[in-house]
């Protein structure tokens, strides 16, 4: 079923933070939406590049050697193997694109690891 | 080099319509930006799913059995093998995500076929 996906409408369907929701699939990747605030765990993805497109708010992605600040209307791609820590002072709405195999916490599996579901 | 990409800034760098520009790569796919207006050719991609995220304006994607209307802040994924024709009454800014192998005209190679370059 081909359907038009409205980002704002989808973001209104959930309130949980750090729990990505799947809203589309293509070429063995998922499009996910996530709300984040505070500090996430440092992690990396061994075999997956990950795109963060900020829809609302300001996301900081800490790398080991510098911080990236990503505003609404901007994206960044974190290549496989690069350690990163997403951080947000206030709630941010982010669109993610990553292979279906990608875990939210990458190699840092623990209490913040969640399996994404469709919304 | 990991860098933050600003969509509005990138869209300001070109004026050509129907000529996708590459602004990122991940997992054997490219993120492209394109400005479109008017009617494109009917085509399909045999082996590639294609995501259209509208950044500005209103894009219509005609399918054989119906039309999809995609506003700013909405996306649609056209699965491989599905014939489609993008149409826009006024200029639209679109973010595309598709495998690196994807030609803009899919199986309808002709005068409107262009090779995307980085911007």
């Amino acid at each position: 079923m081909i359907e038009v996906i409205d980002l704002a409408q989808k973001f209104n369907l959930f309130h949980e933070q750090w729990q990505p929701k799947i809203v589309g699939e293509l070429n063995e990747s998922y499009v996910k939406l996530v709300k984040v605030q505070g500090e996430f765990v440092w992690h990396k993805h061994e075999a997956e590049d990950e795109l963060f497109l900020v829809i609302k708010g300001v996301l900081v992605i800490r790398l080991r050697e510098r911080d990236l600040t990503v505003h609404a209307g901007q994206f960044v791609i974190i290549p496989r193997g690069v350690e990163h820590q997403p951080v947000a002072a206030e709630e941010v709405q982010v669109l993610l694109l990553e292979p279906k195999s990608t875990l939210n916490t990458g190699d840092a599996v623990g209490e913040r690891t969640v399996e994404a579901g469709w919304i």
Side-chain angles (χ1 to χ4, degrees), chain A:
Chain A
M1 178 60 186
I2 301 175
E3 59 176 328
V4 176
I5 302 296
D6 185 280
L7 299 180
Q9 185 264 328
K10 290 292 189 186
F11 274 115
N12 278 337
L13 295 180
F14 67 99
H15 298 288
E16 314 91 274
Q17 295 179 336
W18 303 108
Q19 298 187 24
K21 312 297 182 188
I22 303 169
V23 293
E25 62 181 322
L26 74 165
N27 308 309
E28 293 310 308
S29 287
Y30 283 135
V31 181
K32 298 175 184 173
L33 302 183
V34 66
K35 294 181 174 180
V36 306
Q37 185 173 18
E39 283 195 356
F40 202 54
V41 290
W42 276 98
H43 67 284
K44 64 179 184 292
H45 306 279
E46 288 298 351
E48 298 118 340
D49 309 323
E50 190 173 26
L51 180 146
F52 297 78
L53 171 63
V54 175
I55 304 300
K56 186 175 180 182
V58 183
L59 177 68
V60 173
I61 299 182
R62 292 185 186 146
L63 306 178
R64 287 301 184 187
E65 77 282 11
R66 64 192 167 109
D67 292 351
L68 303 168
T69 302
V70 194
H71 293 83
Q74 298 181 331
F75 74 83
V76 69
I77 294 169
I78 305 297
R80 58 196 69 189
V82 175
E83 288 186 290
H84 57 284
Q85 181 191 38
V87 176
E90 303 192 10
E91 186 172 88
V92 185
Q93 296 181 355
V94 185
L95 181 152
L96 302 171
L97 186 98
E98 53 195 20
K100 291 184 179 180
S101 55
T102 307
L103 264 189
N104 65 325
T105 54
D107 62 336
V109 175
E111 61 183 20
R112 303 196 70 167
T113 304
V114 294
E115 188 166 353
W118 283 83
I119 201 171

